[in-house]
Amino acid sequence: MARKASLSGYLELLPAERFAELHVLDTLREVFEAHGFSPLETRAVETVETLLQKGEIDQEIYAISRLQEEERSGREAKLALRFDNTVPFARYVTENAGHLAFPFRRYQIQKVWRGERPQAGRFREFSQADIDIVGDGALPFRCDVEIVVVMARALEALRIGDFTLRVNNRKLSEGFYRTIGLTNTPAALRVVDKLEKIGPLRVAEELRETAGASAEQAELALQLAQIRTSDCTFADKVRQLAGDRPADLLQQGLDELTELMSELNARVPGRAVADLSIARGLDYYTGTVVETVLHGHEDLGSICSGGRYESLASAGKRVFPGVGLSIGVTRLLSALISSGELASSRSVPTVVYVTLRSDDDWGPAQDVADQLRRRGISAEVALSAEKFGKQIKYADRRGIPYVWFTDELGRHEVKDIRSGSQESVDPSSWAPPTEDLTPQIIRKTEGL
């Protein structure tokens, strides 16, 4: 990464690292499109009123204005930079519903901005990759299943290491709380969501203080949160804990999570665990909730999260339920690049550096380069006829693998400056090995 940052919280990459980032983005795009998700880009700016619909991060929003802005009229909306892709997407759906075919499937990879305190893994400007499926009035539960499977396949395609999708269903948690007589379920969900950060003793205390739980109810809520299974046996554990008085909502949550885990184990085996401590603190989640841990990088927290929402987007009586997941691309990349687990084989796209015998040869050298380019081989031409040794050193310093020579009779040779081998070639037919055509992504555990 660029080693000198004049502003903290903003990531700038060196060229080889940018190739690694582009590889990640292209891989995500390919997987998303293979499953029928359409690309979408929304504006960077929203009204403050729109962004504050999410409520709890108002202190992190960056407001924007002109340096020489005149006094704003009362009718003008205050503007701010988006802090995620979900809220702008909800606004986009309501404004363009007449032009969309539902269920609408989209992916969106864009930068967002938050006024956070910069620290490891936390940035003020960062990229997120989102996928959502949104319905008009209703959305089948199968969409929850599909979107989690798609994201698991996207993470597998990145080959970034072992990861686990931790899945739960808020209907299950909320239904359990109702079954045991705990009525302030939103508060209980927010408290349980902090279990890993503050520990069970503090969670029990906060359940009593903020959710009105008795000591027995707090203990039962903690026991529920400690259930983790890699199969569907979680359902029997929950029923045993709930006793013979399960609420209908609890049964619905059990059924949905059982279906989700069954499909995940069939389609992306070994990637998911039913973890009933996962709650997601945001109130708009209504069913499936997901967090993802990257093994060896647990300090990053969840690298991919999201879930089901029934009414994040609405227009009058028309409601657009949806389910979505988001990858924190910048957080993930910064960790993998810093640790050396993800890198690029070179920092330039150039495959061939075409040398000059004299400055008069620049035009013919461009003709050679154009022949190569037309066949998909990236080529650069020297800007001046320095000694061949200097031209070769320049190509080597740039990380260009091949150097091209043309003699006074128009005969061509190409040199692989890594091995030193040199051969006679024809610019209309020569091609390098496939792996040299583009910078290759290097993974620490796999090599090239």
Side-chain angles (χ1 to χ4, degrees):
M1 282 171 279
R3 298 298 179 252
K4 185 176 181 180
S6 55
L7 286 175
S8 62
Y10 300 88
L11 182 67
E12 291 184 327
L13 300 174
L14 295 172
E17 297 163 344
R18 174 61 173 160
F19 275 122
E21 181 182 40
L22 289 174
H23 164 77
V24 167
L25 300 181
D26 287 343
T27 300
L28 293 175
R29 176 183 55 79
E30 289 169 5
V31 174
F32 296 159
E33 291 186 1
H35 290 82
F37 288 80
S38 299
L40 182 66
E41 181 171 313
T42 59
R43 64 198 186 210
V45 173
E46 298 287 342
T47 66
V48 171
E49 181 182 7
T50 296
L51 295 177
L52 288 180
Q53 290 177 6
K54 204 165 179 178
E56 64 275 357
I57 71 161
D58 54 306
Q59 293 183 356
E60 298 179 5
I61 293 176
Y62 279 116
I64 64 171
S65 62
R66 291 178 295 167
L67 285 176
Q68 301 297 326
E69 188 169 17
E70 299 174 2
E71 186 175 346
R72 189 186 297 269
S73 73
R75 291 177 296 176
E76 279 190 279
K78 294 182 179 179
L79 302 179
L81 295 172
R82 63 169 179 262
F83 60 80
D84 73 358
N85 291 327
T86 304
V87 173
F89 176 56
R91 187 265 311 158
Y92 177 93
V93 168
T94 59
E95 291 181 355
N96 295 280
H99 304 283
L100 304 176
F102 293 96
F104 177 52
R105 307 154 72 93
R106 82 82 166 89
Y107 73 89
Q108 187 170 346
I109 305 174
Q110 287 187 257
K111 289 189 180 295
V112 299
W113 295 266
R114 292 184 188 173
E116 299 194 82
R117 183 172 65 86
Q119 53 186 301
R122 294 282 183 179
F123 299 93
R124 290 173 171 166
E125 178 186 71
F126 54 97
S127 294
Q128 286 190 172
D130 292 38
I131 52 172
D132 286 80
I133 305 176
V134 174
D136 185 357
L139 188 71
F141 178 74
R142 286 178 175 176
C143 293
D144 295 40
V145 175
E146 185 172 8
I147 210 159
V148 181
V149 169
V150 171
M151 192 59 87
R153 288 175 174 168
L155 292 172
E156 284 183 335
L158 292 177
R159 292 162 42 217
I160 55 176
D162 197 18
F163 64 90
T164 298
L165 295 162
R166 304 165 67 192
V167 299
N168 192 14
N169 192 296
R170 284 178 66 136
K171 294 176 185 176
L172 187 161
S173 299
E174 186 175 345
F176 180 84
Y177 299 153
R178 292 181 184 178
T179 296
I180 64 174
L182 185 54
T183 57
N184 192 351
T185 56
L189 287 166
R190 284 193 294 270
V191 173
V192 170
D193 190 54
K194 299 187 288 185
L195 180 60
E196 290 187 349
K197 293 180 180 179
I198 65 177
L201 293 178
R202 183 60 184 150
V203 165
E205 182 180 342
E206 288 198 15
L207 282 170
R208 294 192 297 270
E209 292 176 353
T210 65
S214 67
E216 180 184 4
Q217 289 169 336
E219 177 59 27
L220 287 170
L222 279 172
Q223 289 183 41
L224 179 76
Q226 290 165 1
I227 294 175
R228 291 174 179 79
T229 68
S230 58
D231 54 22
C232 296
T233 57
F234 68 88
D236 291 335
K237 296 178 185 291
V238 174
R239 291 189 186 98
Q240 185 177 4
L241 195 60
D244 57 358
R245 23 169 208 174
D248 291 342
L249 189 63
L250 171 57
Q251 188 59 53
Q252 187 178 353
L254 285 169
D255 291 343
E256 289 185 356
L257 187 55
T258 297
E259 181 179 347
L260 177 60
M261 282 298 298
S262 295
E263 287 295 322
L264 288 171
N265 282 332
R267 303 192 181 282
V268 283
R271 291 303 189 186
V273 60
D275 184 338
L276 306 195
S277 69
I278 302 302
R280 303 294 297 156
L282 301 175
D283 289 343
Y284 64 70
Y285 290 118
T286 57
T288 300
V289 283
V290 181
E291 292 189 355
T292 310
V293 60
L294 179 62
H295 299 302
H297 290 280
E298 287 81 2
D299 57 313
L300 288 176
S302 179
I303 63 166
C304 172
S305 58
R308 175 77 175 225
Y309 46 88
E310 294 301 330
S311 58
L312 183 65
S314 61
K317 294 182 179 180
R318 194 176 181 185
V319 178
F320 303 95
V323 58
L325 293 174
S326 175
I327 297 178
V329 175
T330 301
R331 177 189 297 187
L332 180 60
L333 268 173
S334 66
L336 295 177
I337 290 174
S338 295
S339 66
E341 294 173 76
L342 191 66
S344 174
S345 61
R346 61 182 194 255
S347 61
V348 294
T350 313
V351 180
V352 179
Y353 187 72
V354 183
T355 63
L356 299 180
R357 287 185 305 109
S358 69
D359 287 332
D360 292 338
D361 292 328
W362 192 79
Q366 286 288 356
D367 294 336
V368 170
D370 282 342
Q371 288 187 70
L372 298 172
R373 293 166 184 150
R374 282 193 290 270
R375 292 186 294 109
I377 303 169
S378 176
E380 257 182 66
V381 176
L383 296 176
S384 61
E386 297 181 294
K387 292 181 179 180
F388 281 140
K390 285 189 175 182
Q391 294 185 65
I392 294 171
K393 283 184 179 180
Y394 175 78
D396 189 32
R397 190 166 63 250
R398 292 258 290 151
I400 301 171
Y402 296 94
V403 177
W404 193 281
F405 303 98
T406 304
D407 66 17
E408 65 277 4
L409 299 177
R411 294 172 298 193
H412 305 280
E413 291 189 350
V414 68
K415 180 184 182 72
D416 183 336
I417 60 177
R418 300 162 298 183
S419 66
S421 63
Q422 189 165 327
E423 60 179 334
S424 297
V425 291
D426 184 337
S428 66
S429 60
W430 177 84
T434 302
E435 61 269 21
D436 285 337
L437 278 173
T438 58
Q440 299 297 295
I441 299 304
I442 304 170
R443 294 169 179 83
K444 192 175 185 180
T445 57
E446 300 176 351
L448 279 174

